[in-house]
């Protein structure tokens, strides 16, 4: 069973990198690009929805959201494109991406907006109870 789980985790990791390449391809439809960008950003983001130091719950988001995002992106991608990038990852390994200050700024902004929204919702709930 552990071997099966390890194999699945390796495949998921390779699929995240394949999706990262596929969303840059001009042949990829925009819904797949949008879902793939969210999934890859979440996978590579140092900020988790639920921090990993919280026992059990810290890994639930990684065990549910990441595979779900990858699966949905793969379903939205044309099969030939996904297979092309899976083969590329298998042959060449993980791609090297340049670090982008703009991408980091966008991710930080999105997290800040999510925290602001959650805080404002909690404040309204607190005021109305």
């Amino acid at each position: 069973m552990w071997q099966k789980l390890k194999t699945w985790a390796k495949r998921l990791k390779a699929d995240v990198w394949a999706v990262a390449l596929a969303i840059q391809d001009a042949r990829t439809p925009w819904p797949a690009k949008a879902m793939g960008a969210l999934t890859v950003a979440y996978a590579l983001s140092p900020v988790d929805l639920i921090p990993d130091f919280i026992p059990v719950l810290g890994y639930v988001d990684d065990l549910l959201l990441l595979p779900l995002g990858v699966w949905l992106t793969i379903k939205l991608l044309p099969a030939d494109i996904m297979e092309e990038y899976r083969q590329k990852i298998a042959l060449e390994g993980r791609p090297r991406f340049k670090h982008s200050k703009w991408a980091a700024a966008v991710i930080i902004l999105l997290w800040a907006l999510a925290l602001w929204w959650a805080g404002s919702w909690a404040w309204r709930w607190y005021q109305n109870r």
Side-chain angles (χ1 to χ4, degrees):
M1 181 176 145
W2 284 111
Q3 188 59 34
K4 230 177 162 180
L5 193 58
K6 283 182 183 180
T7 303
W8 176 79
K10 272 187 178 176
R11 175 78 187 236
L12 180 65
K13 189 175 180 180
D15 279 351
V16 168
W17 290 110
V19 165
L21 292 173
I23 62 175
Q24 298 176 19
D25 193 316
R27 300 172 293 168
T28 301
W30 75 265
K33 282 186 182 202
M35 189 66 217
L38 286 172
T39 301
V40 170
Y42 183 77
L44 301 179
S45 174
V47 180
D48 275 348
L49 191 59
I50 302 170
D52 290 343
F53 65 81
I54 298 173
V56 181
L57 288 178
Y59 291 103
V60 169
D61 62 333
D62 295 330
L63 292 173
L64 295 176
L65 293 179
L66 191 57
L68 183 65
V70 170
W71 175 79
L72 188 56
T73 303
I74 290 170
K75 291 296 177 190
L76 293 170
L77 276 167
D80 58 329
I81 293 175
M82 188 62 192
E83 193 53 42
E84 176 185 331
Y85 287 111
R86 277 181 173 151
Q87 288 176 3
K88 184 172 182 159
I89 295 298
L91 292 174
E92 299 173 15
R94 188 183 111 177
R96 298 272 180 208
F97 292 110
K98 290 190 282 183
H99 295 282
S100 169
K101 291 179 183 176
W102 285 105
V106 168
I107 290 172
I108 290 168
L109 178 66
L110 288 174
W111 279 110
L113 287 172
L115 287 172
W116 173 79
W117 177 81
S120 64
W121 176 83
W123 181 254
R124 282 193 305 273
W125 177 81
Y126 176 76
Q127 298 243 324
N128 291 328
R129 24 172 239 155

Short mmCIF file of all heavy atoms in Angstrom, two decimals, residues 44-92:
data_model
loop_
_atom_site.label_atom_id
_atom_site.label_comp_id
_atom_site.label_asym_id
_atom_site.label_seq_id
_atom_site.Cartn_x
_atom_site.Cartn_y
_atom_site.Cartn_z
N LEU A 44 3.04 25.76 -5.41
CA LEU A 44 4.36 26.36 -5.23
C LEU A 44 4.36 27.48 -4.19
O LEU A 44 5.42 27.98 -3.82
CB LEU A 44 4.88 26.89 -6.57
CG LEU A 44 5.01 25.84 -7.67
CD1 LEU A 44 5.51 26.49 -8.95
CD2 LEU A 44 5.93 24.72 -7.25
N SER A 45 3.19 27.86 -3.72
CA SER A 45 3.10 28.95 -2.75
C SER A 45 3.62 28.50 -1.39
O SER A 45 3.30 27.41 -0.93
CB SER A 45 1.64 29.39 -2.61
OG SER A 45 1.52 30.34 -1.58
N PRO A 46 4.38 29.36 -0.74
CA PRO A 46 4.84 29.00 0.60
C PRO A 46 3.74 29.14 1.66
O PRO A 46 3.90 28.71 2.78
CB PRO A 46 5.98 30.00 0.87
CG PRO A 46 5.65 31.16 0.00
CD PRO A 46 4.94 30.61 -1.20
N VAL A 47 2.63 29.73 1.27
CA VAL A 47 1.51 29.94 2.20
C VAL A 47 0.44 28.90 1.93
O VAL A 47 -0.01 28.76 0.80
CB VAL A 47 0.92 31.36 2.04
CG1 VAL A 47 -0.22 31.58 3.00
CG2 VAL A 47 1.99 32.41 2.22
N ASP A 48 0.04 28.16 2.95
CA ASP A 48 -1.02 27.16 2.82
C ASP A 48 -2.34 27.71 3.33
O ASP A 48 -2.36 28.61 4.18
CB ASP A 48 -0.70 25.92 3.66
CG ASP A 48 0.21 24.95 2.92
OD1 ASP A 48 0.39 25.12 1.70
OD2 ASP A 48 0.72 24.02 3.56
N LEU A 49 -3.42 27.16 2.84
CA LEU A 49 -4.75 27.51 3.33
C LEU A 49 -4.85 27.20 4.83
O LEU A 49 -5.31 27.99 5.62
CB LEU A 49 -5.81 26.75 2.54
CG LEU A 49 -7.24 27.17 2.72
CD1 LEU A 49 -7.44 28.63 2.33
CD2 LEU A 49 -8.15 26.29 1.89
N ILE A 50 -4.39 26.01 5.19
CA ILE A 50 -4.30 25.60 6.60
C ILE A 50 -2.82 25.29 6.84
O ILE A 50 -2.26 24.43 6.17
CB ILE A 50 -5.15 24.35 6.88
CG1 ILE A 50 -6.61 24.60 6.52
CG2 ILE A 50 -5.04 23.95 8.35
CD1 ILE A 50 -7.47 23.35 6.54
N PRO A 51 -2.16 25.99 7.76
CA PRO A 51 -0.72 25.77 7.97
C PRO A 51 -0.39 24.32 8.33
O PRO A 51 -1.14 23.66 9.04
CB PRO A 51 -0.39 26.70 9.15
CG PRO A 51 -1.48 27.72 9.16
CD PRO A 51 -2.70 27.03 8.62
N ASP A 52 0.73 23.84 7.80
CA ASP A 52 1.12 22.44 7.98
C ASP A 52 1.44 22.07 9.42
O ASP A 52 1.42 20.90 9.78
CB ASP A 52 2.31 22.10 7.09
CG ASP A 52 1.94 22.06 5.61
OD1 ASP A 52 0.73 21.99 5.31
OD2 ASP A 52 2.84 22.11 4.78
N PHE A 53 1.77 23.05 10.27
CA PHE A 53 2.12 22.72 11.65
C PHE A 53 0.91 22.32 12.49
O PHE A 53 1.06 21.80 13.58
CB PHE A 53 2.89 23.86 12.33
CG PHE A 53 2.10 25.13 12.51
CD1 PHE A 53 1.22 25.28 13.56
CD2 PHE A 53 2.26 26.17 11.62
CE1 PHE A 53 0.50 26.45 13.72
CE2 PHE A 53 1.55 27.35 11.77
CZ PHE A 53 0.66 27.49 12.83
N ILE A 54 -0.31 22.54 11.98
CA ILE A 54 -1.52 22.10 12.69
C ILE A 54 -1.67 20.59 12.44
O ILE A 54 -1.79 20.17 11.30
CB ILE A 54 -2.77 22.86 12.20
CG1 ILE A 54 -2.61 24.35 12.50
CG2 ILE A 54 -4.03 22.30 12.84
CD1 ILE A 54 -3.70 25.22 11.91
N PRO A 55 -1.65 19.79 13.52
CA PRO A 55 -1.69 18.34 13.34
C PRO A 55 -2.90 17.89 12.51
O PRO A 55 -3.99 18.40 12.67
CB PRO A 55 -1.79 17.80 14.77
CG PRO A 55 -1.29 18.90 15.63
CD PRO A 55 -1.62 20.18 14.91
N VAL A 56 -2.67 16.99 11.62
CA VAL A 56 -3.65 16.35 10.74
C VAL A 56 -4.29 17.37 9.78
O VAL A 56 -4.16 17.24 8.57
CB VAL A 56 -4.73 15.57 11.51
CG1 VAL A 56 -5.71 14.90 10.55
CG2 VAL A 56 -4.11 14.52 12.41
N LEU A 57 -4.96 18.39 10.30
CA LEU A 57 -5.64 19.35 9.44
C LEU A 57 -4.68 20.09 8.52
O LEU A 57 -5.06 20.50 7.42
CB LEU A 57 -6.40 20.38 10.29
CG LEU A 57 -7.65 19.89 10.98
CD1 LEU A 57 -8.26 21.01 11.83
CD2 LEU A 57 -8.67 19.39 9.99
N GLY A 58 -3.44 20.27 8.94
CA GLY A 58 -2.46 21.00 8.15
C GLY A 58 -2.18 20.36 6.80
O GLY A 58 -1.82 21.04 5.85
N TYR A 59 -2.34 19.05 6.72
CA TYR A 59 -2.07 18.36 5.47
C TYR A 59 -3.33 18.02 4.69
O TYR A 59 -3.24 17.60 3.55
CB TYR A 59 -1.26 17.09 5.73
CG TYR A 59 0.14 17.41 6.19
CD1 TYR A 59 0.49 17.30 7.52
CD2 TYR A 59 1.09 17.87 5.29
CE1 TYR A 59 1.77 17.63 7.95
CE2 TYR A 59 2.36 18.20 5.71
CZ TYR A 59 2.70 18.07 7.04
OH TYR A 59 3.95 18.40 7.46
N VAL A 60 -4.49 18.23 5.28
CA VAL A 60 -5.74 17.91 4.60
C VAL A 60 -5.91 18.75 3.34
O VAL A 60 -6.30 18.24 2.29
CB VAL A 60 -6.95 18.08 5.55
CG1 VAL A 60 -8.26 18.01 4.80
CG2 VAL A 60 -6.91 17.01 6.63
N ASP A 61 -5.59 20.05 3.44
CA ASP A 61 -5.73 20.89 2.25
C ASP A 61 -4.79 20.44 1.14
O ASP A 61 -5.17 20.42 -0.03
CB ASP A 61 -5.54 22.37 2.59
CG ASP A 61 -4.16 22.68 3.11
OD1 ASP A 61 -3.52 21.79 3.69
OD2 ASP A 61 -3.72 23.84 2.93
N ASP A 62 -3.57 20.03 1.50
CA ASP A 62 -2.64 19.55 0.49
C ASP A 62 -3.09 18.21 -0.11
O ASP A 62 -2.90 17.97 -1.29
CB ASP A 62 -1.24 19.37 1.09
CG ASP A 62 -0.64 20.69 1.53
OD1 ASP A 62 -0.96 21.72 0.90
OD2 ASP A 62 0.15 20.69 2.48
N LEU A 63 -3.69 17.37 0.72
CA LEU A 63 -4.13 16.06 0.25
C LEU A 63 -5.41 16.11 -0.56
O LEU A 63 -5.70 15.19 -1.32
CB LEU A 63 -4.30 15.10 1.43
CG LEU A 63 -3.02 14.71 2.15
CD1 LEU A 63 -3.34 13.91 3.40
CD2 LEU A 63 -2.12 13.91 1.22
N LEU A 64 -6.20 17.18 -0.38
CA LEU A 64 -7.46 17.30 -1.12
C LEU A 64 -7.41 18.32 -2.24
O LEU A 64 -7.76 18.02 -3.38
CB LEU A 64 -8.61 17.66 -0.16
CG LEU A 64 -8.97 16.62 0.88
CD1 LEU A 64 -10.04 17.16 1.82
CD2 LEU A 64 -9.44 15.34 0.22
N LEU A 65 -6.99 19.54 -1.92
CA LEU A 65 -7.04 20.63 -2.91
C LEU A 65 -6.06 20.44 -4.06
O LEU A 65 -6.42 20.67 -5.22
CB LEU A 65 -6.79 21.98 -2.22
CG LEU A 65 -7.86 22.43 -1.25
CD1 LEU A 65 -7.47 23.76 -0.62
CD2 LEU A 65 -9.21 22.54 -1.93
N LEU A 66 -4.84 20.07 -3.75
CA LEU A 66 -3.85 19.92 -4.80
C LEU A 66 -4.20 18.81 -5.80
O LEU A 66 -4.24 19.07 -7.01
CB LEU A 66 -2.47 19.70 -4.19
CG LEU A 66 -1.30 19.79 -5.15
CD1 LEU A 66 -1.27 21.13 -5.86
CD2 LEU A 66 0.00 19.57 -4.41
N PRO A 67 -4.50 17.60 -5.33
CA PRO A 67 -4.90 16.57 -6.30
C PRO A 67 -6.16 16.95 -7.07
O PRO A 67 -6.26 16.67 -8.27
CB PRO A 67 -5.14 15.32 -5.45
CG PRO A 67 -4.35 15.55 -4.22
CD PRO A 67 -4.37 17.02 -3.99
N LEU A 68 -7.12 17.58 -6.39
CA LEU A 68 -8.35 18.00 -7.07
C LEU A 68 -8.05 19.03 -8.15
O LEU A 68 -8.57 18.94 -9.26
CB LEU A 68 -9.34 18.57 -6.04
CG LEU A 68 -10.69 18.99 -6.60
CD1 LEU A 68 -11.45 17.78 -7.13
CD2 LEU A 68 -11.50 19.68 -5.51
N GLY A 69 -7.19 20.00 -7.84
CA GLY A 69 -6.83 21.02 -8.83
C GLY A 69 -6.10 20.44 -10.02
O GLY A 69 -6.37 20.78 -11.17
N VAL A 70 -5.16 19.52 -9.75
CA VAL A 70 -4.42 18.87 -10.84
C VAL A 70 -5.37 18.04 -11.69
O VAL A 70 -5.34 18.09 -12.92
CB VAL A 70 -3.25 18.01 -10.29
CG1 VAL A 70 -2.65 17.15 -11.38
CG2 VAL A 70 -2.20 18.89 -9.65
N TRP A 71 -6.23 17.28 -11.05
CA TRP A 71 -7.19 16.43 -11.78
C TRP A 71 -8.09 17.28 -12.67
O TRP A 71 -8.29 16.97 -13.84
CB TRP A 71 -8.02 15.62 -10.79
CG TRP A 71 -9.09 14.82 -11.44
CD1 TRP A 71 -8.95 13.61 -12.09
CD2 TRP A 71 -10.47 15.16 -11.55
NE1 TRP A 71 -10.17 13.20 -12.58
CE2 TRP A 71 -11.12 14.14 -12.25
CE3 TRP A 71 -11.22 16.24 -11.11
CZ2 TRP A 71 -12.48 14.16 -12.53
CZ3 TRP A 71 -12.58 16.27 -11.38
CH2 TRP A 71 -13.19 15.24 -12.08
N LEU A 72 -8.64 18.36 -12.11
CA LEU A 72 -9.54 19.22 -12.88
C LEU A 72 -8.80 19.88 -14.04
O LEU A 72 -9.34 19.95 -15.16
CB LEU A 72 -10.16 20.28 -11.97
CG LEU A 72 -11.26 21.13 -12.59
CD1 LEU A 72 -12.38 20.27 -13.15
CD2 LEU A 72 -11.81 22.08 -11.55
N THR A 73 -7.59 20.31 -13.82
CA THR A 73 -6.80 20.92 -14.90
C THR A 73 -6.54 19.91 -16.00
O THR A 73 -6.67 20.23 -17.19
CB THR A 73 -5.47 21.47 -14.36
OG1 THR A 73 -5.73 22.40 -13.32
CG2 THR A 73 -4.68 22.16 -15.46
N ILE A 74 -6.19 18.69 -15.63
CA ILE A 74 -5.92 17.65 -16.63
C ILE A 74 -7.19 17.36 -17.43
O ILE A 74 -7.13 17.15 -18.64
CB ILE A 74 -5.37 16.37 -15.95
CG1 ILE A 74 -3.95 16.65 -15.45
CG2 ILE A 74 -5.38 15.18 -16.90
CD1 ILE A 74 -3.39 15.56 -14.56
N LYS A 75 -8.35 17.36 -16.76
CA LYS A 75 -9.61 17.13 -17.48
C LYS A 75 -9.91 18.26 -18.46
O LYS A 75 -10.53 18.03 -19.50
CB LYS A 75 -10.78 16.99 -16.49
CG LYS A 75 -10.72 15.75 -15.66
CD LYS A 75 -10.85 14.54 -16.55
CE LYS A 75 -10.74 13.27 -15.77
NZ LYS A 75 -10.63 12.10 -16.60
N LEU A 76 -9.47 19.48 -18.13
CA LEU A 76 -9.72 20.62 -19.01
C LEU A 76 -8.71 20.72 -20.15
O LEU A 76 -8.97 21.36 -21.16
CB LEU A 76 -9.69 21.92 -18.20
CG LEU A 76 -10.82 22.11 -17.19
CD1 LEU A 76 -10.53 23.32 -16.29
CD2 LEU A 76 -12.15 22.26 -17.89
N LEU A 77 -7.55 20.10 -19.98
CA LEU A 77 -6.50 20.14 -21.00
C LEU A 77 -6.77 19.11 -22.10
O LEU A 77 -7.24 18.00 -21.80
CB LEU A 77 -5.14 19.81 -20.38
CG LEU A 77 -4.39 20.92 -19.71
CD1 LEU A 77 -3.25 20.35 -18.88
CD2 LEU A 77 -3.86 21.90 -20.72
N PRO A 78 -6.43 19.44 -23.34
CA PRO A 78 -6.47 18.40 -24.38
C PRO A 78 -5.48 17.29 -24.03
O PRO A 78 -4.37 17.56 -23.55
CB PRO A 78 -6.03 19.15 -25.64
CG PRO A 78 -6.36 20.59 -25.37
CD PRO A 78 -6.14 20.76 -23.90
N ALA A 79 -5.89 16.06 -24.23
CA ALA A 79 -5.08 14.90 -23.81
C ALA A 79 -3.70 14.90 -24.46
O ALA A 79 -2.72 14.54 -23.80
CB ALA A 79 -5.82 13.61 -24.14
N ASP A 80 -3.61 15.28 -25.73
CA ASP A 80 -2.31 15.24 -26.41
C ASP A 80 -1.32 16.25 -25.81
O ASP A 80 -0.13 15.96 -25.71
CB ASP A 80 -2.47 15.47 -27.91
CG ASP A 80 -3.15 16.80 -28.25
OD1 ASP A 80 -3.99 17.26 -27.46
OD2 ASP A 80 -2.81 17.37 -29.31
N ILE A 81 -1.80 17.40 -25.38
CA ILE A 81 -0.92 18.40 -24.77
C ILE A 81 -0.41 17.89 -23.43
O ILE A 81 0.79 17.98 -23.14
CB ILE A 81 -1.65 19.76 -24.60
CG1 ILE A 81 -1.95 20.36 -25.97
CG2 ILE A 81 -0.84 20.72 -23.75
CD1 ILE A 81 -2.78 21.63 -25.92
N MET A 82 -1.30 17.35 -22.61
CA MET A 82 -0.88 16.84 -21.31
C MET A 82 0.12 15.70 -21.46
O MET A 82 1.12 15.64 -20.75
CB MET A 82 -2.10 16.40 -20.49
CG MET A 82 -1.77 16.05 -19.08
SD MET A 82 -1.10 17.47 -18.18
CE MET A 82 -0.50 16.68 -16.72
N GLU A 83 -0.13 14.81 -22.40
CA GLU A 83 0.77 13.68 -22.62
C GLU A 83 2.14 14.17 -23.11
O GLU A 83 3.18 13.66 -22.69
CB GLU A 83 0.17 12.70 -23.62
CG GLU A 83 0.89 11.37 -23.67
CD GLU A 83 1.02 10.71 -22.29
OE1 GLU A 83 0.07 10.73 -21.50
OE2 GLU A 83 2.12 10.17 -22.01
N GLU A 84 2.14 15.18 -23.96
CA GLU A 84 3.39 15.76 -24.45
C GLU A 84 4.25 16.29 -23.29
O GLU A 84 5.45 16.02 -23.22
CB GLU A 84 3.07 16.90 -25.42
CG GLU A 84 4.27 17.66 -25.93
CD GLU A 84 3.85 18.85 -26.80
OE1 GLU A 84 2.77 18.79 -27.44
OE2 GLU A 84 4.62 19.83 -26.83
N TYR A 85 3.63 17.00 -22.37
CA TYR A 85 4.38 17.57 -21.26
C TYR A 85 4.72 16.53 -20.19
O TYR A 85 5.74 16.65 -19.51
CB TYR A 85 3.66 18.79 -20.68
CG TYR A 85 3.77 19.95 -21.63
CD1 TYR A 85 2.67 20.43 -22.32
CD2 TYR A 85 5.00 20.54 -21.88
CE1 TYR A 85 2.79 21.47 -23.22
CE2 TYR A 85 5.13 21.58 -22.78
CZ TYR A 85 4.03 22.04 -23.45
OH TYR A 85 4.16 23.07 -24.34
N ARG A 86 3.91 15.50 -20.04
CA ARG A 86 4.28 14.39 -19.15
C ARG A 86 5.55 13.72 -19.65
O ARG A 86 6.44 13.39 -18.87
CB ARG A 86 3.15 13.38 -19.06
CG ARG A 86 2.07 13.74 -18.08
CD ARG A 86 1.01 12.66 -18.03
NE ARG A 86 0.06 12.92 -16.99
CZ ARG A 86 -1.21 12.54 -17.03
NH1 ARG A 86 -1.68 11.87 -18.07
NH2 ARG A 86 -2.03 12.82 -16.03
N GLN A 87 5.60 13.49 -20.96
CA GLN A 87 6.79 12.86 -21.54
C GLN A 87 8.00 13.77 -21.39
O GLN A 87 9.11 13.30 -21.10
CB GLN A 87 6.55 12.52 -23.01
CG GLN A 87 5.60 11.38 -23.20
CD GLN A 87 5.29 11.12 -24.66
OE1 GLN A 87 5.83 11.76 -25.55
NE2 GLN A 87 4.40 10.16 -24.91
N LYS A 88 7.81 15.07 -21.58
CA LYS A 88 8.91 16.01 -21.45
C LYS A 88 9.47 15.99 -20.02
O LYS A 88 10.68 15.98 -19.82
CB LYS A 88 8.45 17.41 -21.82
CG LYS A 88 9.55 18.43 -21.81
CD LYS A 88 9.09 19.76 -22.35
CE LYS A 88 10.28 20.71 -22.35
NZ LYS A 88 10.13 21.81 -23.25
N ILE A 89 8.58 15.96 -19.03
CA ILE A 89 9.01 15.90 -17.63
C ILE A 89 9.73 14.58 -17.35
O ILE A 89 10.75 14.55 -16.66
CB ILE A 89 7.81 16.07 -16.67
CG1 ILE A 89 7.22 17.47 -16.80
CG2 ILE A 89 8.20 15.78 -15.22
CD1 ILE A 89 8.15 18.60 -16.45
N ALA A 90 9.22 13.47 -17.91
CA ALA A 90 9.85 12.16 -17.69
C ALA A 90 11.25 12.12 -18.29
O ALA A 90 12.16 11.53 -17.70
CB ALA A 90 8.98 11.07 -18.31
N LEU A 91 11.44 12.76 -19.43
CA LEU A 91 12.75 12.74 -20.10
C LEU A 91 13.72 13.77 -19.52
O LEU A 91 14.89 13.47 -19.30
CB LEU A 91 12.58 12.99 -21.60
CG LEU A 91 11.88 11.91 -22.40
CD1 LEU A 91 11.66 12.36 -23.83
CD2 LEU A 91 12.70 10.63 -22.37
N GLU A 92 13.23 14.99 -19.30
CA GLU A 92 14.13 16.08 -18.93
C GLU A 92 14.12 16.42 -17.44
O GLU A 92 14.95 17.17 -16.97
CB GLU A 92 13.77 17.33 -19.74
CG GLU A 92 13.90 17.13 -21.23
CD GLU A 92 13.38 18.32 -22.02
OE1 GLU A 92 13.18 19.40 -21.43
OE2 GLU A 92 13.17 18.15 -23.23
#
